[in-house]
Amino acid sequence: MLVLSRREQERIRLGESIVVTIIRVSGERVRIGIEAPPEVAIVRDELPPGRNRESRLAPTGT
């Protein structure tokens, strides 16, 4: 596992098409944004197997 330190608004690029941005750090909570192509499923790891709870990226209007 690669462990990186990032500050707010800093980014991590995964390959050529996925970008993870640190949006906000507040105490022990970190808010992240993920930019990825629509064919990439983004699923929270803590969800039980078999639950279809994929999070798709939506345009933010910015």
Side-chain angles (χ1 to χ4, degrees):
M1 174 187 303
L2 173 64
V3 178
L4 300 172
S5 296
R6 299 279 78 197
R7 291 188 171 99
E8 288 183 13
Q9 301 307 313
E10 291 185 329
R11 295 176 159 205
I12 299 167
R13 185 170 296 275
L14 305 173
E16 293 184 19
S17 61
I18 301 173
V19 177
V20 178
T21 304
I22 306 306
I23 305 297
R24 183 180 327 142
V25 179
S26 178
E28 293 184 10
R29 298 188 74 132
V30 178
R31 188 170 177 104
I32 63 171
I34 303 169
E35 299 173 52
E39 65 270 10
V40 174
I42 300 171
V43 181
R44 297 183 326 202
D45 194 46
E46 70 273 10
L47 293 177
R51 252 178 114 172
N52 190 10
R53 288 277 188 126
E54 294 181 0
S55 174
R56 297 287 180 192
L57 296 174
T60 60
T62 56

